[in-house]
Amino acid sequence: MTRYATPKLGAYVVLTALGLLAALVFSRPELALIAAPFGVLLAFGLSHSRPPDVRVHLELDRERVLEGDAITLEVELDARDTVSRLELLVDVPRGLELVSGRNPVALRLELGEDRLIELRFLCARWGAYRFGEVHLRARDAAGLFAWEETIDRAETLRVYPRPEKLQALVAPRETQLFTGNRVSRQKGEGLEFADLRPFATGDRIRRINWRASARRGELWVNEFHAERNSDVIIFLDSFADVRRGDAGTLDEAIRAATSLSERYLLEKDRVGLINFGGVLNWLRPGTELLQRYRIVEALLNTEITLSYAWKEIDFLPRGTLPAKALVLALTPLLDERAVSALLDLRARGFDLVVIEVSPLPFVEPEPGESGELAFRLWKLVREGRRAEYERAGAPVVEWREGIPLTAILQGVSASRRHARARAHA
Amino acid sequence: MAGVAVYGAVTADRLAWLVLALGIGAVLLLVYGLAAPNLPAIVAALAGSAASWSLSAWTRGSGAPGGTILVATATFVAAELSYWSLEQISVPDEPELLARRAAGLALRAVGALALVSFALAALGLNAGGGVLIEAVGAAAVVGLVALVYLLAQAGHEQPGR
């Protein structure tokens, strides 16, 4: 523990010295009398000053929680000596809010006392937090000396984004080879009726359509659409984040990415992640619960890293973007590098859907005519970018804070259906 | 401290306005020191209050009037309360600690009262002093300051836990 003299010590020394000296200089005994209690307290404090002996034990009830959950931190203090005043401060990272208990707290500990302090925190924002750094400051009985110590028992608390319950998903245009829940255009084993064809050697008897066979006078069998999985790549643009207070486009995008990855994985699809920003991260497509955890862990580590380096989609290793994959891009359409990379993906024939995490709720035009004009021009540039995607055949949907993602996805599905119908017509 | 200022002004034989002005100035300085918060201002306020009472005593010509006991205790309690309130700015005390500290402060106030009463009685018995006693007093002051300086310097020690 680091010991230091408190301002009170200096003040009392000055008062005592001033009183005694002035008493001598002016021959006024009352000044010496007024200084006497200060001098006695100094003598007592200096002779009885001892470093405190307190053991601290921290325990966090959970290490992995969902956004909006509450956690309890237990701080156990074991005093090996009397501590007249102990101030305790638990370092609380941004994103956690104290809901019950007092932090910081000042208390007195008697010799041999065990004290349990419970602090309850609300996990208001997703993230990986180092939590559990405790600052202690003890004072002696006279308040002349203080001891400080920082105890680092920090553990990593992972707050996962709370996924939105999605009612509908954007169906990929192409399916892959593995069994899944998606009705493939190819024929094979499945439940969805596709067509009829004449019986051929090797066909199963239970696939014979007896009604059609009776009408045609020969054996006909039912054909079904195969049920396959698909590859979905979530493309997260982390070049820029527009924030206001505790909310921002990156937060929204990460919540959406969590919801989408969880829902697609439930559908037995393979889900991958590309975190396209100042630092490039990726996860090859995978399935099952393990992949869900991998994705969420990767998303927790997402942060905006300032970089001026130009990045292209070629930087990604082979296998990160499998052929026929549906690419769901979550982007605020702010950085030219991400915009260009997505157009590049579309040009390579990927099934691309751009979900524009709108920065508009988080920005306000500068006051004045020129500010308004600049804001309108900026919005026009954004319109131009959207039009560019539309021309390339990739739908762009604007998603604003407060609108359910399900509604956006349903809109995308509907527009894709209409586009397909128009193409067939 | 306002009480000290008024009491000093009322009991002064002359220069009552100066005593009162000095006392009120000290009170205002204390208020500023607590609100700012500013430690030198608090020290100056306490010193100013003591000076106000000393001036009042000087106008009466007596060695150390009986009211000095109350004034010394009040000044000491004011100083303790001031530093206590400064501690509350960073971390407020728990209610149980608050009660204990209040009791401790009351005990110190009684101790200060007893100490000053005893010292006043002793001073009354042997008023005047002399060159030798004054020299011892000056040496004690210098020694005290040196001792505190050395202790404060030795401060940043880090014993193993």
Side-chain angles (χ1 to χ4, degrees):
Chain A
M1 277 192 146
T2 309
R3 189 181 81 156
Y4 63 91
T6 63
K8 187 178 174 182
L9 175 66
Y12 277 28
V13 167
V14 169
L15 284 169
T16 310
L18 263 181
L20 295 178
L21 279 174
L24 285 173
V25 170
F26 299 111
S27 300
R28 299 305 314 165
E30 66 278 348
L31 286 171
L33 291 173
I34 290 171
F38 294 99
V40 170
L41 188 82
L42 277 176
F44 171 80
L46 293 173
S47 59
H48 283 78
S49 156
R50 305 196 280 269
D53 191 359
V54 182
R55 308 290 155 99
V56 182
H57 177 71
L58 296 175
E59 199 167 320
L60 200 59
D61 66 339
R62 280 177 293 169
E63 288 175 3
R64 290 160 199 267
V65 287
L66 277 177
E67 208 174 15
D69 284 354
I71 51 157
T72 304
L73 177 74
E74 285 185 350
V75 185
E76 196 182 337
L77 300 168
D78 174 17
R80 307 291 170 95
D81 199 356
T82 302
V83 186
S84 301
R85 188 175 198 260
L86 179 73
E87 295 173 12
L88 183 139
L89 169 71
V90 177
D91 235 355
V92 184
R94 265 177 69 101
L96 301 184
E97 291 167 7
L98 182 72
V99 284
S100 75
R102 291 178 70 176
N103 184 43
V105 65
L107 37 92
R108 180 190 167 87
L109 295 173
E110 300 296 340
L111 171 69
E113 183 182 344
D114 272 345
R115 182 78 69 95
L116 186 71
I117 297 167
E118 275 194 6
L119 299 171
R120 203 159 167 74
F121 296 94
L122 176 77
C123 305
R125 186 182 181 269
W126 58 269
Y129 301 106
R130 267 181 65 74
F131 188 42
E133 197 174 274
V134 177
H135 303 280
L136 294 176
R137 184 195 288 152
R139 287 177 202 272
D140 60 6
L144 302 177
F145 285 102
W147 289 262
E148 281 191 354
E149 187 176 22
T150 299
I151 297 168
D152 190 4
R153 304 271 160 75
E155 292 174 21
T156 305
L157 170 70
R158 293 174 194 285
V159 181
Y160 297 138
R162 189 174 282 279
E164 185 185 325
K165 285 197 169 23
L166 300 176
Q167 306 295 330
L169 286 172
V170 178
R173 288 210 173 109
E174 302 287 344
T175 52
Q176 303 291 333
L177 293 174
F178 298 104
T179 307
N181 288 350
R182 306 214 170 272
V183 177
S184 166
R185 277 190 286 182
Q186 277 83 37
K187 290 164 189 167
E189 291 297 325
L191 296 172
E192 202 80 19
F193 177 78
D195 206 353
L196 285 170
R197 65 165 171 79
F199 181 83
T201 312
D203 279 341
R204 292 180 186 174
I205 300 296
R206 67 186 171 94
R207 292 181 70 172
I208 294 173
N209 186 327
W210 295 106
R211 187 173 291 177
S213 301
R215 251 199 319 268
R216 288 172 170 83
E218 56 178 337
L219 288 174
W220 281 69
V221 290
N222 288 334
E223 283 188 313
F224 295 92
H225 285 294
E227 288 185 352
R228 298 276 184 257
N229 75 340
S230 56
D231 287 347
V232 179
I233 303 297
I234 294 166
F235 183 101
L236 183 70
D237 172 7
S238 59
F239 274 114
D241 180 25
V242 184
R243 299 195 71 79
R244 182 188 278 170
D246 290 337
T249 53
L250 187 67
D251 285 6
E252 295 292 315
I254 283 178
R255 281 192 196 104
T258 313
S259 309
L260 288 167
S261 61
E262 187 179 294
R263 190 70 167 78
Y264 276 109
L265 284 169
L266 278 176
E267 295 286 327
K268 295 183 183 169
D269 292 325
R270 292 199 315 157
V271 181
L273 175 75
I274 296 173
N275 193 340
F276 203 68
V279 175
L280 200 62
N281 291 317
W282 60 86
L283 265 178
R284 287 171 199 274
T287 53
E288 309 286 335
L289 192 67
L290 187 64
Q291 182 70 357
R292 185 179 153 196
Y293 280 116
R294 279 196 199 121
I295 290 174
V296 175
E297 288 286 333
L299 289 171
L300 285 187
N301 296 324
T302 304
E303 56 184 24
I304 300 295
T305 309
L306 190 66
S307 162
Y308 294 104
W310 185 261
K311 288 191 170 62
E312 287 180 0
I313 212 73
D314 291 338
F315 290 175
L316 292 170
R318 195 180 286 262
T320 310
L321 277 164
K324 299 180 184 175
L326 165 68
V327 179
L328 283 170
L330 294 155
T331 169
L333 288 185
L334 289 170
D335 195 282
E336 202 58 52
R337 290 166 286 187
V339 173
S340 158
L342 288 173
L343 284 170
D344 189 10
L345 280 178
R346 182 66 198 126
R348 292 175 190 205
F350 282 97
D351 182 11
L352 175 68
V353 172
V354 180
I355 299 172
E356 180 200 338
V357 185
S358 178
L360 291 179
F362 306 106
V363 290
E364 267 178 21
E366 287 286 315
E369 204 174 311
S370 57
E372 287 284 344
L373 183 65
F375 191 64
R376 278 168 52 200
L377 278 171
W378 179 66
K379 286 207 285 189
L380 276 173
V381 169
R382 298 179 61 77
E383 287 289 337
R385 278 181 183 159
R386 272 186 222 122
E388 213 173 337
Y389 282 118
E390 298 283 356
R391 275 199 302 276
V396 182
V397 278
E398 190 186 9
W399 179 41
R400 289 195 185 204
E401 193 190 13
I403 298 174
L405 188 58
T406 300
I408 299 298
L409 297 178
Q410 280 171 342
V412 175
S413 299
S415 74
R416 278 159 70 94
R417 271 199 305 275
H418 291 147
R420 223 174 11 242
R422 275 200 305 272
H424 287 306
Chain B
M1 272 177 58
V4 170
V6 173
Y7 182 47
V10 168
T11 53
D13 286 347
R14 55 206 156 88
L15 301 172
W17 288 110
L18 185 60
V19 171
L20 188 65
L22 202 57
I24 296 298
V27 171
L28 292 177
L29 205 55
L30 183 68
V31 170
Y32 165 74
L34 290 174
N38 188 314
L39 293 167
I42 294 173
V43 174
L46 293 166
S49 176
S52 150
W53 175 252
S54 187
L55 183 64
S56 167
W58 175 72
T59 61
R60 275 172 279 167
S62 60
T68 302
I69 300 169
L70 291 175
V71 171
T73 309
T75 309
F76 178 67
V77 170
E80 285 286 292
L81 283 172
S82 302
Y83 286 101
W84 188 2
S85 61
L86 288 183
E87 282 176 11
Q88 302 304 303
I89 294 172
S90 57
V91 187
D93 288 337
E94 287 285 283
E96 52 156 307
L97 177 60
L98 207 66
R100 275 198 82 107
R101 289 190 78 178
L105 180 62
L107 201 68
R108 279 182 210 176
V110 171
L113 201 72
L115 174 77
V116 180
S117 304
F118 177 76
L120 192 63
L123 201 72
L125 288 171
N126 189 17
V131 177
L132 185 66
I133 291 177
E134 291 205 0
V136 171
V141 170
V142 173
L144 173 72
V145 173
L147 176 70
V148 169
Y149 176 75
L150 287 173
L151 284 167
Q153 282 293 305
H156 297 268
E157 59 182 35
Q158 295 182 30
R161 279 170 56 87

